[in-house]
Amino acid sequence: MFPKGTKRKFSDSGEEPVPSGEQGQPAPSAAARTLSSSYSLQRQSLLDMSLIKLQLCHMLVEPNLCRSVLIANTVRQIQEEMTQDGTWQIMTQALAAAQCPADRLVATEVLCRQTDMAAQAGQSPKPFSVVGLEEGYHSEEVVMDGDGDTEVTMSTLSTVSPQLSSASYLPGPFGMGPCWEEEEEEGECEEDEEEDSEECVSEGEEADRDHLTGDSRTGEQVFGTFEIKHPAPPPDPALEELFSDVDASYYDLDTVLTGMQSAPKMGPYDLLESLSSHGPTALSSSTSCRSDLNELDHIMEIIVGS
Amino acid sequence: MLFGRSGGDMQWCLSQAKGSLDDDVTEADIISTLEFNHTGELLATGDKGGRIVIFQQEIENKRQPQYRSEYNVYSTFQSHEPEFDYLKSLEIEEKINKIRWIPQKNAAHFLLSTNDKTIKLWKISERDKRPEGYNLKEEDGRYRDPSTVTSLRVPVFRPMDLMVEASPRKVFANAHTYHINSVSVNSDNETYLSADDLRINLWHLEITDRSFNIVDIKPANMEELTEVITAAEFHPHQCNTFVYSSSKGTIRMCDMRASALCDKHSKMFEEPEDPSNRSFFSEIISSISDVKFSHSGRYMMTRDYLSVKIWDLNMESKPVETYQVHEYLRSKLCSLYENDCIFDKFECCWNGNDSMVMTGSYNNFFRMFDRDHRWDVTLEASRENSKPFQVIKPRKVCAGGKRKKDEISVDSLDFNKKILHTAWHPQDSIIVVATTNNLYIFQDKMN
């Protein structure tokens, strides 16, 4: 918890994702750090989107294997890159510590329904899952909805924040180079992802219940990797205390610090609500949406701390 | 038949538009496959509801240089019904994935149609005469009392209204665990292949209870699955050769004489990746959605998300020609991934003499490339913008910067209006393009 008015210092190198392949070099410049944290954010959102896609399977008809394989390969690719960066380990450790009991990282599992075993077991459709991830990871997406148990979601988000450096974090153009799309697309993606994750959670949860009544082991393997398997854990009393200290004036300082001077006074939840009210747009979307999300992250970091 | 004309000289006119005018699309009416027979006289369409509609070409005034062809409904039948796989608790869609005509041997027409799991051989035959004057039966079919028969007569065939009957002759079932994406008739006219995501089977047209597995890419451990089969086709002349394409952008050519199981390819066609264009979506957009041999058998064409490539069968290292279909989408890949459009499977086709190729795009646009004259055009299939007999205007998409008049900007494209299926008459300058639920037939004015 930081005293009011203090900008959080740039965190240790241990928490910073190092641009891949540059292990032995001197600490990158502030601009490079900014770029890499933006890139991480984009990469993260692509990962989230991909996981949602893998999870949302058609319950009546078999899912398209080609599509599932391509999405799973994308997830693997991201995971490999994040592992090289060191962000993968940080994220999984942080999530494990913050939320659910540390389940083992489920090994790569493909639960294609067409396997003979599954057929004999009379299994319902399972999505093609590649790398299993802890449930806690998925619950991060719930944050974006702005609904539900906020204490839980806040704590989850806080563990993701070490990736982002608040001091050097500036809302700016992505301009990432060949790997990523233009700014507008990212903002749009994240918006829609919020809406998707809402549906995803409810659909997935229903599916989870259905499947867990079957062979519970395989059901858990499939959906356990993506679902919030456990009910929300009791809120951390320390975090509740954290929230009780927050008041409106603190937000004002944030907005000043981040240069969002013209923005109306609003808290993080207001921000979430205003974002979720944006309908899905055509391919063009406003850059302000994306910068709003940057602000949200920034605010979260300051409030919750590292 | 006017070959040698440059694509640039062609003037396409909307000849017919078939289908409902509603903006509301009935799911079952969505066209899922399109195929001309070998003469071009018949055009078969399959839809999501499992129906096949066959159109027949009727030519008015063929003597005149500018004659008009009209395609009218010849036969409609229900090919596949929805099924339920009780073991897996899954519905098997009745959607027709592919139709392939068998070369004609007698008066009847035969075609293969397939959904995700079952292939059927259909016989389409005409009946325009019927026997009349039986001795023992009345005209309505009731048997006559033999004691009332006092004289004998020979039954005669009398003309009747043309009736086109479609009857299922063979059902090739239970051979595919995964979803069938391709069917291809061999040039020997006796065998055909069917391909699903992981396996390719070889069948004899007469034998339904057995098929040979000739390609199997299923890994022992499904966790290791990273690549699937996306399309397969027999060589048009060499009955021992076929190709199959994959989700990683490779095409493998196999020779069935080499071994019974063709897991080892005899040639592999793959273009090295362009490192400057690398992104998280590189693999997805390299996935090949269609592969088609040229009529000559010298080349093959592949369609991936953004381009069409022509390969010389003697050169595996890279295609001989690459045509950009909608390069302006490259900067939109993330959004297209999000709305799943990036997984759309576009098909492609050759014209009769292999000088031109065609493929579909979004916003009901389709693209034609003239290989000889290095010329290409974007056209639109729409009723509003096309009057019959009027030459349709080329369209242009503005990728960025200032939009000129008549250009459409990328952000205004309707990604729900996609043209996945196109077909080119094997002999004439007639093309057919399927939008979601409508069929557009265009003819070159100078046909």
Side-chain angles (χ1 to χ4, degrees):
Chain A
M1 181 59 193
F2 297 101
K4 292 181 198 177
T6 307
K7 203 167 173 182
R8 201 182 78 165
K9 289 198 173 57
F10 176 60
S11 46
D12 281 8
S13 57
E15 291 178 337
E16 250 311 289
V18 178
S20 48
E22 292 168 2
Q23 302 294 332
Q25 293 189 2
S29 66
R33 277 195 298 268
T34 307
L35 285 178
S36 72
S37 58
S38 305
Y39 175 75
S40 294
L41 196 65
Q42 293 174 64
R43 186 175 57 187
Q44 192 74 49
S45 83
L46 180 64
L47 183 59
D48 297 343
M49 207 196 310
S50 304
L51 292 170
I52 294 168
K53 283 182 183 299
L54 282 175
Q55 186 173 4
L56 281 174
C57 57
H58 302 278
M59 303 315 291
L60 273 178
V61 184
E62 281 179 85
N64 183 338
L65 185 61
C66 180
R67 177 178 172 273
S68 303
V69 168
L70 289 172
I71 297 172
N73 288 351
T74 307
V75 169
R76 240 194 228 111
Q77 225 183 318
I78 297 173
Q79 192 223 358
E80 272 163 22
E81 203 181 276
M82 287 177 81
T83 307
Q84 278 175 11
D85 276 353
T87 25
W88 188 260
Q89 283 85 337
I90 295 164
M91 180 184 68
T92 51
Q93 281 163 21
L95 289 168
Q99 206 196 339
C100 310
D103 289 352
R104 61 179 181 87
L105 261 176
V106 180
T108 302
E109 262 170 337
V110 174
L111 293 147
C112 177
R113 281 179 302 94
Q114 295 92 344
T115 58
D116 295 334
M117 252 182 4
Q120 281 154 23
Q123 285 303 303
S124 325
K126 298 175 184 57
F128 180 97
S129 75
V130 69
V131 181
L133 298 164
E134 297 175 321
E135 309 81 86
Y137 178 79
H138 177 74
S139 68
E140 182 227 337
E141 288 152 13
V142 184
V143 178
M144 303 309 240
D145 295 350
D147 300 325
D149 198 344
T150 56
E151 282 89 343
V152 173
T153 57
M154 290 292 279
S155 71
T156 313
L157 183 59
S158 75
T159 60
V160 179
S161 65
Q163 291 177 41
L164 307 164
S165 150
S166 66
S168 57
Y169 190 80
L170 303 162
F174 280 112
M176 283 315 306
C179 292
W180 276 100
E181 324 310 321
E182 289 161 354
E183 214 168 40
E184 296 92 88
E185 273 61 70
E186 266 325 289
E188 207 248 340
C189 289
E190 287 176 4
E191 271 175 71
D192 288 348
E193 186 208 332
E194 289 169 17
E195 287 151 14
D196 280 350
S197 58
E198 267 177 318
E199 300 158 49
C200 166
V201 169
S202 48
E203 241 185 273
E205 276 171 347
E206 280 167 11
D208 194 16
R209 278 195 291 277
D210 289 340
H211 293 283
L212 286 176
T213 56
D215 181 338
S216 60
R217 187 189 71 92
T218 45
E220 272 176 38
Q221 278 171 349
V222 177
F223 290 100
T225 55
F226 300 123
E227 270 304 299
I228 305 168
K229 209 163 62 175
H230 313 292
D236 189 337
L239 283 168
E240 287 207 74
E241 216 178 292
L242 203 74
F243 280 87
S244 63
D245 286 342
V246 167
D247 68 353
S249 60
Y250 194 66
Y251 296 136
D252 285 345
L253 201 55
D254 282 342
T255 58
V256 166
L257 288 170
T258 57
M260 218 169 81
Q261 273 140 15
S262 53
K265 210 192 276 193
M266 56 179 179
Y269 309 117
D270 298 336
L271 199 56
L272 281 166
E273 269 146 32
S274 69
L275 284 168
S276 57
S277 67
H278 285 282
T281 56
L283 284 180
S284 62
S285 57
S286 60
T287 52
S288 62
C289 293
R290 192 196 48 71
S291 61
D292 286 345
L293 288 167
N294 297 340
E295 300 312 314
L296 168 67
D297 282 341
H298 183 72
I299 290 164
M300 293 304 189
E301 292 159 42
I302 291 177
I303 293 164
V304 174
S306 58
Chain B
M1 236 198 310
L2 281 164
F3 292 142
R5 254 159 78 79
S6 154
D9 296 336
M10 287 178 160
Q11 298 173 293
W12 295 100
C13 304
L14 176 63
S15 170
Q16 292 169 281
K18 298 183 177 300
S20 106
L21 288 164
D22 281 344
D23 273 341
D24 241 356
V25 178
T26 315
E27 186 87 359
D29 291 339
I30 294 175
I31 296 164
S32 52
T33 187
L34 202 53
E35 184 81 354
F36 273 110
N37 76 338
H38 295 81
T39 60
E41 185 208 351
L42 298 176
L43 172 71
T45 65
D47 65 21
K48 259 191 127 172
R51 287 165 305 197
I52 291 182
V53 180
I54 301 179
F55 298 90
Q56 185 183 42
Q57 186 180 22
E58 273 150 46
I59 299 159
E60 299 165 19
N61 306 318
K62 190 152 190 179
R63 302 259 172 91
Q64 293 187 10
Q66 283 188 36
Y67 65 86
R68 204 172 94 82
S69 291
E70 213 176 68
Y71 279 85
N72 298 314
V73 177
Y74 178 66
S75 172
T76 304
F77 57 94
Q78 186 77 31
S79 170
H80 285 72
E81 297 278 0
E83 286 169 48
F84 196 76
D85 181 339
Y86 293 97
L87 213 52
K88 298 184 198 172
S89 294
L90 288 174
E91 254 187 37
I92 298 171
E93 280 189 320
E94 67 274 32
K95 171 169 74 89
I96 309 294
N97 292 338
K98 279 287 174 337
I99 292 172
R100 290 287 183 260
W101 292 91
I102 314 283
Q104 199 175 8
K105 284 189 267 203
N106 52 37
H109 298 277
F110 288 85
L111 59 79
L112 287 170
S113 73
T114 186
N115 69 347
D116 284 339
K117 299 285 184 182
T118 305
I119 306 136
K120 293 187 184 179
L121 177 69
W122 286 89
K123 175 180 179 183
I124 296 108
S125 48
E126 288 184 12
R127 194 197 289 269
D128 62 353
K129 298 184 238 318
R130 65 155 185 251
E132 287 176 18
Y134 281 109
N135 292 293
L136 297 175
K137 272 197 296 189
E138 302 287 359
E139 292 309 325
D140 59 11
R142 278 179 308 151
Y143 280 98
R144 288 167 75 182
D145 181 358
S147 55
T148 63
V149 178
T150 52
S151 63
L152 288 177
R153 59 188 174 167
V154 177
V156 290
F157 274 94
R158 292 249 154 73
M160 59 177 255
D161 288 339
L162 177 66
M163 200 166 73
V164 181
E165 297 173 317
S167 58
R169 305 307 283 178
K170 300 266 190 276
V171 177
F172 305 90
N174 302 320
H176 285 280
T177 312
Y178 304 97
H179 291 180
I180 298 173
N181 53 53
S182 310
V183 159
S184 178
V185 184
N186 203 347
S187 49
D188 65 9
N189 283 346
E190 284 185 355
T191 57
Y192 74 95
L193 64 74
S194 59
D196 66 31
D197 295 316
L198 298 178
R199 297 194 178 100
I200 302 181
N201 293 332
L202 181 71
W203 303 83
H204 191 285
L205 284 165
E206 304 281 329
I207 300 169
T208 59
D209 61 355
R210 257 170 295 153
S211 78
F212 290 101
N213 175 243
I214 52 177
V215 171
D216 188 341
I217 65 166
K218 181 175 181 228
N221 187 355
M222 278 296 271
E223 292 170 25
E224 289 157 14
L225 179 65
T226 56
E227 192 174 8
V228 301
I229 296 170
T230 52
E233 194 174 62
F234 264 119
H235 190 278
H237 310 309
Q238 296 165 18
C239 57
N240 54 287
T241 305
F242 67 93
V243 294
Y244 67 94
S245 60
S246 83
S247 57
K248 285 199 172 167
T250 64
I251 308 102
R252 288 173 176 82
M253 176 179 277
C254 302
D255 186 334
M256 295 197 293
R257 298 170 300 189
S259 74
L261 190 58
C262 297
D263 278 359
K264 285 201 175 62
H265 51 265
S266 59
K267 288 191 190 183
M268 172 138 116
F269 299 81
E270 187 175 15
E271 183 170 25
E273 200 183 359
D274 176 6
S276 66
N277 268 334
R278 176 114 190 87
S279 77
F280 282 118
F281 305 109
S282 294
E283 188 186 307
I284 300 176
I285 62 169
S286 74
S287 173
I288 291 171
S289 51
D290 194 17
V291 65
K292 291 260 169 56
F293 277 104
S294 64
H295 292 95
S296 62
R298 259 200 73 189
Y299 300 97
M300 68 178 173
M301 165 167 56
T302 58
R303 174 71 154 98
D304 51 68
Y305 191 63
L306 297 180
S307 67
V308 160
K309 295 179 181 173
I310 312 280
W311 303 79
D312 184 321
L313 297 186
N314 298 314
M315 187 161 77
E316 300 164 60
S317 55
K318 60 181 167 89
V320 289
E321 293 153 39
T322 302
Y323 300 104
Q324 299 303 332
V325 181
H326 36 219
E327 181 69 10
Y328 46 79
L329 295 183
R330 193 179 285 275
S331 57
K332 309 286 181 192
L333 292 178
C334 193
S335 307
L336 294 165
Y337 177 72
E338 192 180 359
N339 62 18
D340 265 13
C341 282
I342 209 174
F343 301 107
D344 285 335
K345 291 191 186 279
F346 291 95
E347 291 175 2
C348 52
C349 61
W350 298 85
N351 75 340
N353 67 349
D354 300 335
S355 63
M356 293 184 62
V357 297
M358 172 167 63
T359 188
S361 178
Y362 293 104
N363 209 71
N364 282 348
F365 288 171
F366 58 100
R367 302 265 284 139
M368 265 188 223
F369 302 93
D370 184 331
R371 299 174 60 211
D372 300 333
H373 302 96
R374 294 266 138 201
W375 169 94
D376 67 272
V377 73
T378 305
L379 298 170
E380 183 181 2
S382 105
R383 288 190 211 245
E384 294 87 44
N385 298 339
S386 333
K387 293 193 181 56
F389 311 118
Q390 203 184 53
V391 178
I392 54 174
K393 260 186 349 180
R395 302 305 308 263
K396 195 133 195 310
V397 177
C398 165
K402 272 193 114 170
R403 186 178 77 88
K404 298 196 190 75
K405 179 178 173 255
D406 282 354
E407 279 186 4
I408 180 166
S409 78
V410 186
D411 299 322
S412 315
L413 294 174
D414 187 342
F415 289 86
N416 291 318
K417 292 188 177 165
K418 48 193 98 173
I419 290 178
L420 303 174
H421 311 287
T422 59
W424 206 311
H425 193 288
Q427 288 156 12
D428 301 340
S429 294
I430 299 172
I431 56 174
V432 182
V433 152
T435 59
T436 312
N437 63 336
N438 280 291
L439 207 62
Y440 288 82
I441 303 174
F442 296 94
Q443 198 172 333
D444 181 18
K445 206 161 187 183
M446 281 305 295
N447 195 22

